[in-house]
Amino acid sequence: MLPTLWLTGCIEEISLDTGEASRVVVNCLLKEGDVQTMELYYTSEARDGVRRPVTDAEVILSSYDEEVSRFRYDSGCVWSARFTPKHCKLYKLKVITGGDTLSAQTRFPDDVDVAAYRKSRYSDSSHLHVYQFVSYELRYISDTIFHYPWTTSEQIHFAVRYGKSYPSACRMWVFPRDLGRGDHERYIGTTHALADDFNLSSLFVPDLPCFSRDSILAMDPITVRKVLEWYPVIYPGLQLHDGFVRIPIPTNYKLDKSQKELTDTPIYSPRAFVLVRDFPTKFQFQYAYENALYDFYFLSNEADNYFKDVYSRKINKDNFVFEYETDNVCSNIKGGGLGVFGAIIMRTNMKAIKGYFDDSSSDYVYSED
């Protein structure tokens, strides 16, 4: 039938236009660094399905009503600006295109370090079996805490002692880094009391493949086995999150527990928490302690609200934090626009995830100092 219609010229072109006016989409996350990027395009697509970029606009970035930079058009839907945001500062974005003026604002998160502490525990009173595992805490820490082979124990102890607790509110998202283990690698567990449970899975810590008896016996070197064996022993009921764990932390967060009650982290800290994930059977122990296992993201309130909404609509979508959505997702773009203007701090490499503490004594006492 189709060839016949084609030859007779009776095909009627069908319009897929919904009739809705085209809207401008603004997607911009301010990051640490001296170059900022932004996506700017229309909701209506070209006939080939490609986004229609906004190429002619005035895009102004300001802080407390003082202009600090302007975005310039690069290519495709991408605009860029040379600018380095400052922590805790409020930023406003204004986009003037055609007869529309869009605006949004966000506050860049406070600076933060993820301190990782390794602690040894005796599994019985004979002190013959020692287990080790890592816990994490948000702190302000001196650069001397960077862990290098030549870092002295005096430097480590000084930095831990004088590093300041992180007092600010933050929206932290933690992703298990891809280590090539397959589907189970996306699961992550945490002991943090404020972890959001909206993406909990039906799995628990002992369900991870790395905690099977055969996997633990195959661990190389044996010190990795000591680390891994401990988690299913003390956290058998810890439920796993699917893909990531989101932890909204209020100002001056601290567990209301005595020193003796703080038994769920190695350092007995009222702010520390444990992360549990799947490990490869063959894994270098050095990397486990230098924390190349997780990616930490700290989002502004606007970015946090946006991406949580995106996830709730796209369950099990990988790497959704780096993808934008426009279909009925919450937006902070005023003036009829869509998208998000927010800010994000990424702690994704070993040098940025600071903190290292090794103490096998049983009488270590956490200090507020």
Side-chain angles (χ1 to χ4, degrees):
M1 182 178 178
L2 287 177
T4 304
L5 291 175
W6 178 265
L7 291 174
T8 57
C10 295
I11 291 182
E12 180 180 353
E13 184 175 322
I14 300 175
S15 174
L16 300 179
D17 189 353
T18 61
E20 296 181 357
S22 180
R23 301 170 70 181
V24 175
V25 179
V26 180
N27 288 325
C28 180
L29 289 184
L30 299 178
K31 302 178 179 68
E32 291 178 315
D34 56 4
V35 176
Q36 307 302 317
T37 59
M38 174 185 63
E39 286 185 346
L40 201 59
Y41 58 92
Y42 296 101
T43 53
S44 59
E45 298 177 345
R47 289 185 178 273
D48 57 1
V50 177
R51 290 173 173 173
R52 290 198 303 121
V54 175
T55 59
D56 184 14
E58 187 178 9
V59 185
I60 304 168
L61 183 66
S62 61
S63 179
Y64 302 101
D65 297 326
E66 179 181 350
E67 182 177 322
V68 295
S69 186
R70 292 201 174 206
F71 282 83
R72 310 295 181 186
Y73 177 69
D74 285 345
S75 63
C77 301
V78 179
W79 292 60
S80 65
R82 297 198 64 84
F83 175 71
T84 303
K86 294 183 179 180
H87 297 105
C88 299
K89 269 206 163 187
L90 183 69
Y91 292 98
K92 296 181 180 180
L93 184 71
K94 180 185 290 187
V95 178
I96 304 172
T97 176
D100 298 325
T101 299
L102 312 180
S103 62
Q105 67 179 31
T106 191
R107 186 175 298 278
F108 201 85
D110 199 356
D111 194 13
V112 59
D113 290 328
V114 182
Y117 301 93
R118 176 166 62 93
K119 177 78 172 179
S120 300
R121 278 187 180 176
Y122 297 110
S123 62
D124 52 44
S125 58
S126 67
H127 288 187
L128 296 178
H129 299 89
V130 180
Y131 294 96
Q132 306 174 43
F133 62 109
V134 180
S135 63
Y136 301 85
E137 187 175 38
L138 306 185
R139 296 176 73 86
Y140 294 121
I141 298 182
S142 167
D143 286 349
T144 58
I145 198 63
F146 284 166
H147 180 64
Y148 300 111
W150 55 86
T151 303
T152 66
S153 58
E154 288 77 15
Q155 286 177 309
I156 294 173
H157 282 266
F158 178 88
V160 170
R161 180 174 182 181
Y162 294 103
K164 300 299 182 181
S165 297
Y166 184 71
S168 301
C170 67
R171 304 290 186 268
M172 180 173 67
W173 299 54
V174 187
F175 290 76
R177 182 167 293 183
D178 182 5
L179 300 175
R181 278 280 291 181
D183 288 344
H184 276 80
E185 194 171 71
R186 73 175 189 262
Y187 296 106
I188 178 174
T190 182
T191 60
H192 201 292
L194 300 182
D196 197 333
D197 62 1
F198 77 108
N199 66 326
L200 277 176
S201 73
S202 59
L203 299 180
F204 292 82
V205 167
D207 295 322
L208 291 176
C210 66
F211 295 129
S212 70
R213 181 64 177 169
D214 291 342
S215 292
I216 290 178
L217 290 177
M219 287 293 167
D220 181 31
I222 193 172
T223 45
V224 178
R225 186 188 307 174
K226 286 185 177 181
V227 173
L228 291 184
E229 283 182 321
W230 186 249
Y231 290 100
V233 171
I234 66 172
Y235 303 128
L238 187 62
Q239 199 167 356
L240 298 174
H241 297 256
D242 190 353
F244 63 93
V245 58
R246 173 183 177 269
I247 307 176
I249 304 175
T251 303
N252 294 318
Y253 166 74
K254 180 180 177 181
L255 286 174
D256 188 19
K257 290 184 177 182
S258 66
Q259 189 73 43
K260 292 182 179 180
E261 292 176 311
L262 297 171
T263 59
D264 59 348
T265 66
I267 59 172
Y268 302 95
S269 162
R271 296 182 180 88
F273 55 94
V274 168
L275 297 172
V276 187
R277 56 146 320 152
D278 193 32
F279 285 79
T281 301
K282 302 293 184 180
F283 193 69
Q284 294 185 24
F285 186 56
Q286 177 187 8
Y287 292 151
Y289 280 174
E290 288 182 345
N291 313 296
L293 300 174
Y294 305 99
D295 291 336
F296 295 83
Y297 299 83
F298 298 88
L299 277 64
S300 66
N301 291 342
E302 298 78 17
D304 177 73
N305 292 334
Y306 178 88
F307 287 118
K308 181 175 179 179
D309 197 14
V310 169
Y311 178 81
S312 66
R313 300 167 189 273
K314 290 184 176 291
I315 296 176
N316 296 327
K317 187 173 181 64
D318 295 335
N319 295 325
F320 77 97
V321 163
F322 301 102
E323 297 185 13
Y324 296 100
E325 182 60 70
T326 59
D327 187 18
N328 297 320
V329 175
C330 71
S331 171
N332 68 324
I333 308 298
K334 297 181 179 179
L338 298 173
V340 61
F341 174 57
I344 183 172
I345 291 177
M346 297 177 283
R347 295 289 183 253
T348 61
N349 58 70
M350 289 183 289
K351 190 173 180 180
I353 302 174
K354 309 172 191 175
Y356 197 87
F357 183 69
D358 187 1
D359 180 20
S360 58
S361 65
S362 58
D363 56 355
Y364 173 72
V365 178
Y366 173 81
S367 172
E368 283 294 327
D369 299 325

